[in-house]
Amino acid sequence: MEVFAKYGTPAQKEKWLKPLLDGKIRSAFAMTEKKVASSDATNIETSIQRVGNEYVINGLKWWISGAGDPRCAVYLVMGKSDPKNKEKHRQQSLIIVPADTPGITVVRPMTVFGYDDAPEGHCEILFKDVRVPVENMVLGEGRGFEVIQGRLGPGRIHHCMRCIGVAERALDLLLARVTDPSRRTFGKLLAEHGTVVADIAKSRMDIDQARFLVLNAAKRIDEVKAKGAMKEIGMAKAVVPTMLLTVLDRAMQAHGAGGVSQDFILARSYAQARTLRYADGPDEVHIAQIGKVELRRAAEVTKSLEKQRERSYALITGKAKL
Amino acid sequence: MEVFAKYGTPAQKEKWLKPLLDGKIRSAFAMTEKKVASSDATNIETSIQRVGNEYVINGLKWWISGAGDPRCAVYLVMGKSDPKNKEKHRQQSLIIVPADTPGITVVRPMTVFGYDDAPEGHCEILFKDVRVPVENMVLGEGRGFEVIQGRLGPGRIHHCMRCIGVAERALDLLLARVTDPSRRTFGKLLAEHGTVVADIAKSRMDIDQARFLVLNAAKRIDEVKAKGAMKEIGMAKAVVPTMLLTVLDRAMQAHGAGGVSQDFILARSYAQARTLRYADGPDEVHIAQIGKVELRRAAEVTKSLEKQRERSYALITGKAKL
Amino acid sequence: MEVFAKYGTPAQKEKWLKPLLDGKIRSAFAMTEKKVASSDATNIETSIQRVGNEYVINGLKWWISGAGDPRCAVYLVMGKSDPKNKEKHRQQSLIIVPADTPGITVVRPMTVFGYDDAPEGHCEILFKDVRVPVENMVLGEGRGFEVIQGRLGPGRIHHCMRCIGVAERALDLLLARVTDPSRRTFGKLLAEHGTVVADIAKSRMDIDQARFLVLNAAKRIDEVKAKGAMKEIGMAKAVVPTMLLTVLDRAMQAHGAGGVSQDFILARSYAQARTLRYADGPDEVHIAQIGKVELRRAAEVTKSLEKQRERSYALITGKAKL
Amino acid sequence: MEVFAKYGTPAQKEKWLKPLLDGKIRSAFAMTEKKVASSDATNIETSIQRVGNEYVINGLKWWISGAGDPRCAVYLVMGKSDPKNKEKHRQQSLIIVPADTPGITVVRPMTVFGYDDAPEGHCEILFKDVRVPVENMVLGEGRGFEVIQGRLGPGRIHHCMRCIGVAERALDLLLARVTDPSRRTFGKLLAEHGTVVADIAKSRMDIDQARFLVLNAAKRIDEVKAKGAMKEIGMAKAVVPTMLLTVLDRAMQAHGAGGVSQDFILARSYAQARTLRYADGPDEVHIAQIGKVELRRAAEVTKSLEKQRERSYALITGKAKL
């Protein structure tokens, strides 16, 4: 929806954005591919080839969230229109594909742990010689990367904010459970066991630390836009989902069998949170980037440490005075 | 099945064990209750009351694995026949309840991280004024604890053994994934990233350490029976499921979206392994018991340390000689 | 020094605070005792008994920081003046003891790991029938606890602030080391190994999270004084020293043998930081208190969750409408 | 000493091994260098150059353990005799250098967390134009690597064995401390706090797992010699010192200020154990090698998984039968 609003032509907006806003139809974003490592977006293989006044699309996508909804009427498909372009980030285009175009097969819904998240679902979709008019190109050939870049930073911080909320809810459930008088073990409330109290305290400390990271990233976005806040966003994204999983796990453990079941939100939240450790950039990629940003300071730091050492040495040997 | 074989009367064996062995029917063990903390088995509330020549059973059980199978013809129900007995472990009895007895309602299947494990399932079952003849009592009134005790030790080690196998499989999947040439990121095989190599090495070290704990417990069982090996079994049970979850998590992370899906065994195995952190005794209970067993050595250790200190002091001050 | 400034009588200030401020003498605070668990301050055993116009002090103190300095002219000694008082926190008094009073033996300096922190040192001191005039009592009998309470909150946050600074310095040293061209291994700069980059990133994330906790506690102190900010101070104190140890340990590892030696501040900082995990309240005590503060919300949380469940149920069953 | 025994000529043995065995002199091994990353042994820069009937040695070594002992009469110095040899492991030689040879300066003792381990010490030693006769070469030019290789495997396992012993002692101290009636806090023995009991249990589980790794490595050495057991030795070396540090840290925490002091072996043991995380190969190198050994199975594992998948598919689609 944001893509139509931000990058759509007037005609594209008229045709798709209006019914989307009216809640008459839904859209789905088709980015991830089954056969390649999607944590590196330049790996995408789906082809978008111009033939006359049309683009022909071929590729196998999966985890297309929302595609299972019967109201889903349109896909935004990312593919390569110019796979040999030397600028790796100019090879991709984003194109609008109506869901009823011939050549599209919704293969199956994917499950997240055992959840299929029906009816929306996360579908595997085959595009075979799917043809759409050239007007369906978004922003212009070779500008696909640009579009998703604008989308990712804020998306990541939204995920993190939701995670903080879920973590607070998990801690609430933990507090309620361990003080439930019907859950006594060995003559004690769960809350009277020292290890349980420690779990609660650690959860509070973990949540608060993570929350401050998110607030800090949000503040930076306000100050310098998402692009300038990539390090702060990356730090939140690398820390928050793992924190949430830890807090959920502690709450689950106190709930016993109930914790993994449909009776509490804990297991479902765990499954969702787990996907965030690879979605929108796996932890490993964020961590590597944060490390590299820090390393940019290395030369300056080395020089400054050197100076301090020389100064200390001069002071000790009497060659300089305080 | 083992219960019938080990504790059944000839009549009970004839009626239930035979068709079980022939694969004609299945049985389910009804122990866990929804309303109480089942990590402390003395909390059970289901009542088994003698009225004339019958026992009347009332209670709400859940997580009755296998009860969803249409072939499941009989339940073994744990309840309290003598809730006021001062010996807390003589209050319980185990009784045979045919699945078609009036008063039984299979409420719903429970899910484990979204998996319903159909058709077997893990069911919630309501027993309301369910009546069975007195001959259905297993071993005798007040001996329920005895029966489950005999079952738990070996059960725990079986779980651990299976976990080791699953962990090895997860590591295999990890090895295959990170060397898959179609999964290159940023110009490298996953296996060429140092953090991935470290994950593999840590998994190997984690698995091997856990395996040795299991082998050691098995050896102790052979030497001194399950009862004498409670500490070694408890150590394996407290360590192995968590180890497996860690190894599965690393493998999932390398598989990205595939890792949480139905395309690999990883997420399903994770859900199953997670239940082992509370089933058959939650980690916390095992850990507390291991700690207490160690503490039994404290007085002797203190005395021995004291003696060594006196000896050292005497040597230093010249009051004793080497 | 703060004690004299905040709680001293004019005469006490004239006699001790003035030379302290002029840098002519130094003072030391004698609180910790060898024979009891000092994490619970009510355990103190040193006696301060009034006899005529004097107080007689008997006890064995250790870890009296600064007592080894030849300029240390006065001790502030905490002891029990009224050990049978039913109010456990009115048993203690704080008294001024000139270092040259007869009956004082400086037994030995204690070492922290292998550092004796000479000349200041952390001394074990025996007080045997040490007599001082009644005017040396600080604030009045039974008010010792009051004095140290006023000192602890801000002291803890100061420790945490310094820790953040040391952690930044440790990260600087790490950055300099891993980019030092003379430290190549296996043909690569250390900074080119993925696990090293990850260590750097994790350190940055750990430090920033901890820093925000400290800033938050400082803000709370400004808003509601130290007493109202006990939870926030406790969280910082429970998190920050452990964070610092982790960051120092990573930096040490990259420095190899140099890291544990006198050539870098890392090992010395590690030793100092390690003492903060028990000084001014061990981690365990802070964690238990934070857990208990959270648990105060439990009843309210339980009620609110209950209400939400009822509301959901009413919506699902049609008994209520959105 | 082992070097003389194993690789010495009869003359070398007569001159050095005999007085060593008689306890009249001591020797020190000079391998580590200050200016390079010693975790990669090919980085060594000390030069051993033949000039006529002598070798001339130039270089700066540090952490020469035992060199501070007044009885230390001889150094075994590792250096490069043929730095341009294309075979990287044939560049090094090991040479015998009497401690009183002109040109040797013992610069200073290094400290480990403040401990100088006097009198033996770990010294920094400058070799400047130090000349020894050609007979002092061990085994022959270019064979230095060979000598240290033979020494490392068994050395590593010895370290690990000692670590297990120290860990057991640390656990003993922990048990004694937490049951010491004079160490009550908040009305309880330390051993009555649930988190303390958990620390004890975790220490037992950590120690036992690590012990089994060491026993397994020792068994492999017996079966296939150290060279064939590199993976098992590496696993023990990568796991055991970190385990020991964790156990020591728990014991220290229970000892409060005493734990970091000279009154218990804990802090000193911690300092020593910390050096083992980089000495004889840093953790990172062992972990990377274990990962690489596992990865050798990848191709075979991939093929086997592929076959199993094909078989499953054939069974499901009816193209094969069980």
Side-chain angles (χ1 to χ4, degrees):
Chain A
M1 195 140 78
E2 303 89 329
V3 170
F4 288 110
K6 210 164 157 189
Y7 302 106
T9 62
Q12 290 169 351
K13 283 184 187 175
E14 178 61 28
K15 184 150 185 200
W16 302 111
L17 185 57
K18 225 172 148 282
L20 277 166
L21 288 171
D22 293 345
K24 286 185 187 154
I25 63 165
R26 301 213 167 180
S27 64
F29 202 92
M31 168 96 181
T32 309
E33 297 188 1
K34 193 176 176 179
K35 299 287 184 193
V36 298
S38 57
S39 63
D40 179 353
T42 64
N43 281 338
I44 278 180
E45 289 184 344
T46 291
S47 76
I48 302 179
Q49 230 178 324
R50 180 149 186 172
V51 180
N53 275 338
E54 292 183 324
Y55 283 104
V56 184
I57 301 147
N58 279 288
L60 180 59
K61 298 278 184 183
W62 71 348
W63 297 99
I64 312 310
S65 296
D69 192 310
R71 292 164 297 179
C72 181
V74 62
Y75 305 131
L76 285 158
V77 179
M78 179 70 115
K80 284 196 177 167
S81 50
D82 186 8
K84 295 189 176 161
N85 193 317
K86 278 179 192 168
E87 285 184 64
K88 278 200 148 188
H89 297 89
R90 301 284 298 166
Q91 300 174 347
Q92 300 82 3
S93 295
L94 189 71
I95 198 156
I96 299 166
V97 182
D100 56 2
T101 317
I104 296 178
T105 313
V106 177
V107 181
R108 58 171 179 162
M110 304 304 300
T111 62
V112 177
F113 287 71
Y115 305 103
D116 61 7
D117 293 332
E120 295 84 0
H122 314 282
C123 298
E124 184 173 326
I125 303 183
L126 179 68
F127 295 87
K128 189 154 186 209
D129 293 329
V130 176
R131 284 160 182 273
V132 296
V134 290
E135 296 83 34
N136 283 21
M137 178 60 64
V138 179
L139 211 62
E141 262 191 47
R143 299 186 65 181
F145 223 83
E146 201 176 317
V147 175
I148 57 161
Q149 280 302 84
R151 222 174 144 256
L152 269 184
R156 282 171 186 153
I157 194 95
H158 288 162
H159 281 316
C160 290
M161 286 167 170
R162 275 189 291 269
C163 285
I164 299 290
V166 177
E168 288 286 0
R169 169 54 57 109
L171 178 53
D172 281 358
L173 287 166
L174 176 56
L175 289 172
R177 180 73 168 199
V178 300
T179 52
D180 180 343
S182 71
R183 296 286 155 189
R184 303 179 84 83
T185 51
F186 308 101
K188 281 184 182 179
L189 281 184
L190 284 173
E192 288 164 339
H193 291 280
T195 51
V196 170
V197 176
D199 271 1
I200 292 169
K202 284 179 202 160
S203 298
R204 167 51 59 219
M205 298 191 292
D206 292 344
I207 296 173
D208 279 14
Q209 289 187 84
R211 185 203 327 280
F212 290 130
L213 271 197
V214 178
L215 289 172
N216 184 52
K219 184 163 152 280
R220 286 294 290 167
I221 294 175
D222 285 348
E223 289 167 3
V224 297
K225 302 265 152 108
K227 211 171 170 175
M230 287 318 281
K231 180 180 151 198
E232 285 78 9
I233 295 172
M235 282 169 64
K237 181 66 172 45
V239 163
V240 174
T242 294
M243 175 283 295
L244 173 53
L245 291 167
T246 305
V247 172
L248 283 167
D249 193 77
R250 289 185 191 124
M252 275 199 281
Q253 184 68 3
H255 281 76
V260 303
S261 82
Q262 65 268 54
D263 282 9
F264 295 92
I265 58 151
L266 299 167
R268 175 174 286 269
S269 299
Y270 192 96
Q272 286 168 350
R274 186 62 189 79
T275 67
L276 295 180
R277 287 197 46 221
Y278 58 79
D280 285 2
D283 291 357
E284 287 76 8
V285 170
H286 292 296
I287 287 171
Q289 280 171 347
I290 296 159
K292 275 168 200 162
V293 171
E294 279 298 300
L295 277 165
R296 285 188 210 137
R297 302 194 293 116
E300 193 190 353
V301 162
T302 302
K303 218 156 68 185
S304 147
L305 288 170
E306 204 55 56
K307 258 196 196 156
Q308 291 172 39
R309 248 178 240 136
E310 277 165 27
R311 169 87 178 141
S312 300
Y313 192 73
L315 284 169
I316 290 166
T317 55
K319 285 176 190 152
K321 280 188 184 165
L322 277 172
Chain B
M1 194 140 80
E2 302 90 327
V3 170
F4 288 111
K6 211 165 155 190
Y7 301 106
T9 62
Q12 290 169 351
K13 284 184 185 173
E14 178 60 29
K15 185 152 184 197
W16 302 111
L17 185 56
K18 227 174 146 281
L20 278 167
L21 288 171
D22 292 347
K24 288 186 185 152
I25 64 166
R26 300 212 167 180
S27 65
F29 202 92
M31 167 98 181
T32 310
E33 297 188 2
K34 192 177 178 178
K35 299 287 182 191
V36 298
S38 57
S39 64
D40 178 353
T42 65
N43 282 338
I44 278 179
E45 289 183 345
T46 292
S47 77
I48 302 179
Q49 229 177 326
R50 178 148 187 175
V51 180
N53 275 339
E54 291 182 324
Y55 283 104
V56 184
I57 301 148
N58 278 287
L60 180 59
K61 297 280 184 182
W62 72 347
W63 297 100
I64 312 309
S65 297
D69 192 308
R71 292 163 298 179
C72 180
V74 60
Y75 306 130
L76 284 158
V77 180
M78 179 71 113
K80 284 195 178 168
S81 49
D82 186 7
K84 295 189 176 160
N85 193 318
K86 278 178 190 166
E87 285 184 62
K88 279 198 148 189
H89 298 88
R90 301 285 297 168
Q91 300 174 345
Q92 301 82 5
S93 295
L94 189 72
I95 198 157
I96 300 166
V97 181
D100 57 2
T101 316
I104 296 177
T105 314
V106 177
V107 182
R108 59 173 178 161
M110 303 305 301
T111 64
V112 177
F113 282 80
Y115 302 105
D116 62 7
D117 293 333
E120 295 84 359
H122 314 282
C123 297
E124 184 173 326
I125 303 183
L126 180 67
F127 295 87
K128 190 156 185 206
D129 293 328
V130 175
R131 283 160 183 273
V132 296
V134 290
E135 295 84 33
N136 281 22
M137 178 61 63
V138 178
L139 210 62
E141 262 192 46
R143 300 186 66 181
F145 223 84
E146 202 177 317
V147 175
I148 56 161
Q149 280 302 83
R151 220 174 145 255
L152 270 182
R156 283 171 186 153
I157 194 94
H158 288 162
H159 281 315
C160 291
M161 287 167 169
R162 274 188 292 269
C163 286
I164 299 290
V166 177
E168 289 285 1
R169 169 55 57 109
L171 179 52
D172 281 359
L173 286 166
L174 177 55
L175 289 172
R177 181 73 169 200
V178 300
T179 50
D180 180 343
S182 71
R183 298 285 153 189
R184 304 179 83 84
T185 52
F186 308 101
K188 280 184 184 179
L189 280 185
L190 285 173
E192 288 164 336
H193 291 279
T195 52
V196 171
V197 176
D199 271 0
I200 292 169
K202 284 178 199 160
S203 299
R204 168 50 60 220
M205 297 191 291
D206 292 344
I207 296 173
D208 279 13
Q209 288 187 85
R211 186 204 326 279
F212 290 130
L213 271 197
V214 178
L215 289 172
N216 184 50
K219 182 161 152 283
R220 286 294 290 165
I221 294 175
D222 285 348
E223 289 166 3
V224 296
K225 301 266 150 114
K227 210 170 171 176
M230 286 319 280
K231 182 182 151 197
E232 285 78 10
I233 295 172
M235 284 169 62
K237 181 65 172 45
V239 163
V240 173
T242 295
M243 175 284 293
L244 173 53
L245 291 166
T246 304
V247 172
L248 282 167
D249 194 77
R250 290 186 190 123
M252 275 200 280
Q253 185 68 4
H255 281 76
V260 302
S261 81
Q262 66 268 54
D263 282 9
F264 295 92
I265 59 151
L266 299 167
R268 176 174 285 269
S269 299
Y270 191 95
Q272 287 169 349
R274 186 62 188 78
T275 68
L276 295 180
R277 286 197 47 219
Y278 59 79
D280 286 2
D283 291 358
E284 288 75 8
V285 171
H286 292 296
I287 287 172
Q289 281 172 346
I290 295 159
K292 275 168 200 162
V293 171
E294 279 299 300
L295 277 164
R296 285 188 211 137
R297 302 194 292 117
E300 193 189 352
V301 162
T302 302
K303 218 157 69 186
S304 147
L305 288 169
E306 204 56 54
K307 258 195 197 156
Q308 290 172 39
R309 248 177 240 137
E310 277 165 27
R311 169 87 178 141
S312 299
Y313 192 75
L315 285 169
I316 291 166
T317 55
K319 287 177 188 150
K321 281 187 182 167
L322 278 171
Chain C
M1 193 140 79
E2 302 91 328
V3 171
F4 289 110
K6 211 165 156 189
Y7 301 106
T9 62
Q12 289 170 351
K13 283 184 186 172
E14 178 60 28
K15 185 152 184 199
W16 303 111
L17 185 57
K18 226 174 146 278
L20 277 166
L21 288 171
D22 292 346
K24 287 184 185 154
I25 64 166
R26 301 214 166 178
S27 65
F29 202 93
M31 167 98 180
T32 309
E33 296 188 2
K34 192 177 177 177
K35 298 288 182 190
V36 299
S38 56
S39 63
D40 179 352
T42 65
N43 281 338
I44 278 180
E45 288 183 344
T46 291
S47 77
I48 302 180
Q49 228 177 325
R50 179 149 187 174
V51 180
N53 275 336
E54 291 183 325
Y55 283 104
V56 185
I57 300 145
N58 278 287
L60 181 58
K61 299 279 184 182
W62 72 349
W63 297 99
I64 311 311
S65 297
D69 192 309
R71 291 164 298 179
C72 181
V74 61
Y75 306 131
L76 285 158
V77 179
M78 179 72 114
K80 284 196 178 168
S81 49
D82 186 8
K84 295 190 176 160
N85 195 317
K86 278 179 192 168
E87 286 185 63
K88 277 198 148 188
H89 298 89
R90 302 283 298 166
Q91 300 175 346
Q92 301 82 4
S93 294
L94 189 71
I95 197 156
I96 300 166
V97 181
D100 56 1
T101 317
I104 296 176
T105 313
V106 177
V107 182
R108 58 171 179 163
M110 303 304 301
T111 63
V112 177
F113 287 70
Y115 304 103
D116 61 6
D117 293 332
E120 294 85 359
H122 314 281
C123 297
E124 184 173 326
I125 303 184
L126 179 68
F127 294 87
K128 191 157 183 207
D129 294 327
V130 175
R131 285 159 181 274
V132 296
V134 291
E135 297 83 32
N136 282 22
M137 178 61 63
V138 178
L139 211 62
E141 263 192 46
R143 300 186 66 181
F145 224 83
E146 202 177 316
V147 175
I148 56 161
Q149 280 303 83
R151 220 174 145 255
L152 270 182
R156 283 170 186 152
I157 194 94
H158 289 163
H159 281 316
C160 291
M161 287 167 169
R162 274 188 292 269
C163 286
I164 299 291
V166 177
E168 289 286 0
R169 168 55 58 109
L171 179 52
D172 281 0
L173 287 166
L174 176 56
L175 289 171
R177 181 74 169 199
V178 301
T179 51
D180 180 343
S182 70
R183 297 286 155 188
R184 304 179 84 84
T185 52
F186 309 102
K188 281 185 182 179
L189 280 185
L190 284 173
E192 288 164 337
H193 291 280
T195 51
V196 170
V197 176
D199 270 359
I200 292 169
K202 283 179 201 162
S203 298
R204 167 50 60 220
M205 298 191 290
D206 291 344
I207 296 172
D208 278 14
Q209 288 187 85
R211 186 205 324 280
F212 290 131
L213 270 197
V214 178
L215 289 172
N216 184 51
K219 183 162 152 282
R220 287 293 290 164
I221 294 175
D222 285 348
E223 289 167 3
V224 297
K225 301 266 150 111
K227 211 170 170 176
M230 287 319 280
K231 183 182 151 197
E232 285 78 10
I233 295 172
M235 284 169 62
K237 180 66 170 48
V239 163
V240 174
T242 295
M243 175 284 293
L244 173 53
L245 291 166
T246 305
V247 173
L248 283 167
D249 194 77
R250 290 185 190 123
M252 273 199 282
Q253 186 67 6
H255 281 76
V260 303
S261 82
Q262 66 267 54
D263 281 9
F264 295 92
I265 58 152
L266 299 166
R268 175 174 286 267
S269 299
Y270 191 96
Q272 286 169 351
R274 185 62 188 79
T275 67
L276 295 180
R277 286 197 46 220
Y278 59 79
D280 285 1
D283 291 358
E284 288 76 8
V285 171
H286 292 296
I287 287 171
Q289 280 172 346
I290 295 159
K292 275 168 200 163
V293 171
E294 279 299 300
L295 277 165
R296 285 188 210 137
R297 302 194 293 117
E300 193 190 351
V301 162
T302 302
K303 219 157 68 185
S304 148
L305 288 170
E306 205 54 56
K307 261 198 195 154
Q308 290 173 40
R309 249 178 239 135
E310 277 165 27
R311 170 86 179 144
S312 301
Y313 191 73
L315 285 169
I316 291 166
T317 56
K319 287 179 189 149
K321 282 188 180 164
L322 277 172
Chain D
M1 194 140 79
E2 302 91 329
V3 170
F4 289 110
K6 210 164 156 188
Y7 302 106
T9 61
Q12 289 169 351
K13 283 185 186 174
E14 177 61 27
K15 184 152 185 200
W16 302 110
L17 185 57
K18 223 171 148 283
L20 278 167
L21 288 171
D22 293 347
K24 287 187 185 151
I25 64 166
R26 300 210 167 182
S27 64
F29 202 93
M31 167 97 182
T32 310
E33 296 189 2
K34 193 176 178 179
K35 299 286 183 193
V36 298
S38 57
S39 62
D40 178 352
T42 64
N43 282 337
I44 278 180
E45 288 183 343
T46 291
S47 76
I48 302 179
Q49 229 177 327
R50 180 150 186 173
V51 180
N53 275 337
E54 291 183 324
Y55 282 105
V56 184
I57 301 148
N58 278 287
L60 180 59
K61 297 280 184 181
W62 71 348
W63 298 98
I64 312 311
S65 297
D69 192 308
R71 291 163 298 179
C72 181
V74 62
Y75 306 131
L76 285 157
V77 180
M78 179 72 115
K80 284 195 178 169
S81 49
D82 185 9
K84 296 190 175 159
N85 193 317
K86 278 179 191 170
E87 285 185 63
K88 277 200 150 189
H89 298 89
R90 302 283 299 166
Q91 300 175 345
Q92 301 81 5
S93 295
L94 188 71
I95 198 157
I96 299 165
V97 181
D100 57 2
T101 317
I104 296 178
T105 313
V106 176
V107 182
R108 56 171 180 163
M110 303 304 301
T111 64
V112 178
F113 282 82
Y115 301 105
D116 62 7
D117 294 332
E120 295 83 2
H122 313 283
C123 297
E124 183 173 327
I125 303 183
L126 179 68
F127 295 87
K128 190 156 185 208
D129 294 329
V130 175
R131 285 160 181 272
V132 295
V134 291
E135 296 84 34
N136 281 23
M137 180 59 64
V138 178
L139 211 61
E141 261 192 48
R143 300 187 65 180
F145 223 83
E146 200 176 317
V147 175
I148 58 160
Q149 281 302 83
R151 221 174 145 254
L152 269 183
R156 282 170 186 154
I157 195 93
H158 288 161
H159 281 316
C160 291
M161 287 167 169
R162 272 188 293 269
C163 285
I164 299 290
V166 177
E168 289 286 359
R169 169 54 59 106
L171 179 51
D172 281 358
L173 286 167
L174 176 55
L175 289 172
R177 181 72 168 200
V178 300
T179 51
D180 180 343
S182 71
R183 297 285 153 189
R184 303 180 83 86
T185 52
F186 309 101
K188 280 183 182 178
L189 281 185
L190 286 173
E192 289 164 337
H193 292 280
T195 51
V196 170
V197 177
D199 271 1
I200 292 169
K202 284 179 200 159
S203 299
R204 168 50 59 221
M205 298 191 292
D206 292 345
I207 296 173
D208 279 12
Q209 288 187 85
R211 186 205 325 280
F212 290 131
L213 271 196
V214 178
L215 289 172
N216 184 51
K219 184 164 151 279
R220 287 294 290 166
I221 295 175
D222 285 348
E223 288 166 4
V224 297
K225 300 266 151 110
K227 211 169 171 176
M230 286 320 278
K231 181 180 153 199
E232 286 78 9
I233 295 172
M235 282 170 64
K237 181 66 172 46
V239 163
V240 174
T242 295
M243 175 284 293
L244 173 54
L245 291 167
T246 304
V247 173
L248 283 167
D249 194 77
R250 290 186 191 123
M252 273 200 281
Q253 185 68 4
H255 280 76
V260 303
S261 82
Q262 66 268 55
D263 282 9
F264 295 92
I265 58 150
L266 298 167
R268 175 174 286 268
S269 299
Y270 191 96
Q272 286 168 349
R274 185 64 188 78
T275 67
L276 295 180
R277 288 198 45 221
Y278 59 78
D280 286 1
D283 291 357
E284 288 75 8
V285 170
H286 292 296
I287 287 172
Q289 280 172 347
I290 295 159
K292 276 168 200 163
V293 171
E294 279 299 298
L295 277 164
R296 284 187 211 140
R297 302 194 292 117
E300 193 191 354
V301 162
T302 302
K303 219 157 69 185
S304 148
L305 287 170
E306 206 55 57
K307 259 196 196 158
Q308 290 171 39
R309 248 178 240 136
E310 277 165 26
R311 169 88 179 140
S312 300
Y313 191 72
L315 284 169
I316 289 166
T317 55
K319 286 178 190 152
K321 282 189 182 165
L322 278 171

